[in-house]
Amino acid sequence: MRVDVRALGACNRLAERGAKQAAGALSDLTGTDLAVEVTGASVASGEDLAESFAGRESIGVSVGLRGGLDGEAVLAFDAANVDALLSLLPGGQSMERSAVTEVGNIALGGFLDGWANYLGKAIDMSPPRYFEADGAAVLPDGALAGDGVFLFESRLDATTTDLDFSIYMLPDSGPFRDLIVGKTAPAATAGGEADGGTSSTAVPYESLSTFSSLAKKGSANAADNIAMMTGLETSVDVSRLRFVPLADVPAEVGTEPHAGTVFELQGEPSGYLAILFEESSAAAVADAMLPMDPDEPLGDMAQNALCELGNVMTSGFIDGWANVLGTSITHSPPEFVHDIGASTISPLVAKLSERQDYGFVIDTAIQTEGIQARCDVYALPDERELARALDRLSGS
């Protein structure tokens, strides 16, 4: 199966539109404003999903989908936020299970309406099933058994209370296959340009799964390099390949101060890579690398140390890509950045947005033991160049 990433972008817009409809329905029900934080599609293996959901305790509702779209949709609240939800519903505290079920039914119905309208076919929902789940048990069993599945995830947040939650949709093949193989490409193409069924952005699905594995291996290499240069035990918390609107990426990084390094990648694929630490983590990691106390927490000595670390991490991250894809990928000298998170990555997104609206983002969380430092790696490859490299990979 060949996946047209432009058509996948159209599906992502449908998911975003559905999330906004769900937010509107829940706003009417609860009397509180809800906003869609981000919607993205992930290509993830069962192992990836298990790692991504590890440590979460969720309460919510799942429904089966039949008709215009087959699969399963899930609405999940963090278990710690359920009391906040129930406090907004008449009789909520005394009707916890039924209240959550009703909320899930309304929200998922709103989410799926946009898909049904686009497909011109009704999507039948099974009766909502209430659940309390740990980790990836929030997802249907089949999701963890596959080598690679598409997961649409929308995160919503209440503006006046602690009530963030997520909607997940895992479509089966069949009708969904027709949406992403390029048959809908004219409607999906960014900028209003029509594109044929086999556009330059159509790639074999199996290659996406392979690249997701490459991204994970690159993350492990980057973590090993941190451990080598700091002497601190380091592990990868999560590494995932996601397809998201580029405009949403800065908001995901957030408004907390970050420090780190950014790189421009040359070759195929080209693009950008950012290695960002929370401000206190950056200072702690730099201190661990230096033989003496730095002149100031993030002064010249610390900046040089972080640039050296970024250089080694970036090489470890992309070397595996080049080897497997059969291409040459180099990177620019490190540019030190120290600003709020969104501002550190916005210039990279702006440059890439000149030629595409969506992109495959590799986001990785690396945890360092001992000093509790966290590092986030964001890789933003050019989608057309990535598609060409993945196409060659499939052909070989």
Side-chain angles (χ1 to χ4, degrees):
M1 177 177 76
R2 298 182 68 84
V3 177
D4 191 307
V5 294
R6 299 291 186 88
L8 188 56
C11 290
N12 201 88
R13 286 192 289 274
L14 284 175
E16 183 177 22
R17 189 181 308 159
K20 289 179 179 178
Q21 290 183 221
L26 287 186
S27 294
D28 293 341
L29 182 65
T30 62
T32 187
D33 291 333
L34 291 161
V36 180
E37 285 189 332
V38 64
T39 292
S42 300
V43 181
S45 68
E47 182 183 357
D48 296 334
L49 293 174
E51 291 179 358
S52 298
F53 285 86
R56 298 192 198 180
E57 294 184 12
S58 304
I59 292 176
V61 170
S62 66
V63 297
L65 311 178
R66 294 292 181 269
L69 196 65
D70 294 344
E72 187 155 349
V74 176
L75 177 138
F77 293 91
D78 188 304
N81 294 337
V82 171
D83 285 344
L85 168 67
L86 297 177
S87 69
L88 299 173
L89 303 174
Q93 295 290 351
S94 61
M95 302 173 62
E96 176 177 335
R97 188 183 186 107
S98 60
V100 171
T101 300
E102 180 61 18
V103 166
N105 197 38
I106 291 172
L108 292 174
F111 179 81
L112 294 167
D113 279 348
W115 289 81
N117 291 338
Y118 179 82
L119 294 169
K121 299 177 182 179
I123 300 176
D124 297 325
M125 291 170 42
S126 67
R129 179 183 64 84
Y130 173 86
F131 64 79
E132 298 179 12
D134 293 333
V138 66
L139 302 174
D141 294 338
L144 301 181
D147 294 331
V149 297
F150 277 109
L151 171 71
F152 286 91
E153 178 179 1
S154 298
R155 294 202 301 271
L156 292 87
D157 181 61
T159 56
T160 58
T161 187
D162 189 13
L163 189 63
D164 58 312
F165 62 97
S166 296
I167 293 174
Y168 306 102
M169 187 178 74
L170 292 97
D172 293 338
S173 57
F176 181 70
R177 181 193 298 265
D178 293 337
L179 287 177
I180 62 172
V181 296
K183 293 180 181 179
T184 56
T189 302
E193 299 175 1
D195 197 0
T198 55
S199 77
S200 61
T201 56
V203 298
Y205 172 78
E206 296 77 9
S207 294
L208 285 179
S209 297
T210 299
F211 191 66
S212 183
S213 298
L214 281 177
K216 190 170 184 178
K217 187 177 297 184
S219 302
N221 289 342
D224 289 343
N225 288 333
I226 292 181
M228 177 185 67
M229 298 185 72
T230 64
L232 300 168
E233 185 178 345
T234 307
S235 60
V236 178
D237 275 2
V238 61
S239 179
R240 208 158 31 136
L241 174 67
R242 296 182 301 126
F243 185 76
V244 298
L246 289 176
D248 288 351
V249 176
E252 291 188 44
V253 185
T255 57
E256 294 298 318
H258 283 69
T261 48
V262 298
F263 300 84
E264 182 174 1
L265 307 180
Q266 295 99 19
E268 194 163 277
S270 64
Y272 303 93
L273 187 140
I275 299 172
L276 302 178
F277 294 87
E278 292 182 355
E279 190 176 56
S280 59
S281 294
V285 168
D287 184 57
M289 293 177 61
L290 295 169
M292 61 186 73
D293 290 337
D295 47 358
E296 54 182 294
L298 285 174
D300 290 342
M301 292 174 62
Q303 291 181 28
N304 289 337
L306 290 171
C307 285
E308 181 183 359
L309 177 62
N311 248 332
V312 175
M313 287 179 64
T314 299
S315 295
F317 202 91
I318 65 176
D319 281 353
W321 300 9
N323 290 338
V324 174
L325 296 175
T327 64
S328 174
I329 306 174
T330 60
H331 61 81
S332 66
E335 176 187 349
F336 180 78
V337 291
H338 183 198
D339 206 334
I340 64 172
S343 296
T344 61
I345 207 163
S346 287
L348 312 184
V349 169
K351 293 174 184 176
L352 202 57
S353 295
E354 293 175 0
R355 49 190 187 270
Q356 62 193 66
D357 294 328
Y358 286 75
F360 287 100
V361 177
I362 301 160
D363 54 359
T364 297
I366 297 174
Q367 189 73 31
T368 302
E369 303 296 335
I371 58 175
Q372 295 300 306
R374 176 187 167 101
C375 167
D376 293 299
V377 180
Y378 296 89
L380 304 165
D382 180 287
E383 69 174 22
R384 290 175 180 81
E385 294 175 356
L386 177 60
R388 287 198 295 267
L390 292 176
D391 200 36
R392 288 197 302 271
L393 176 62
S394 174
S396 63

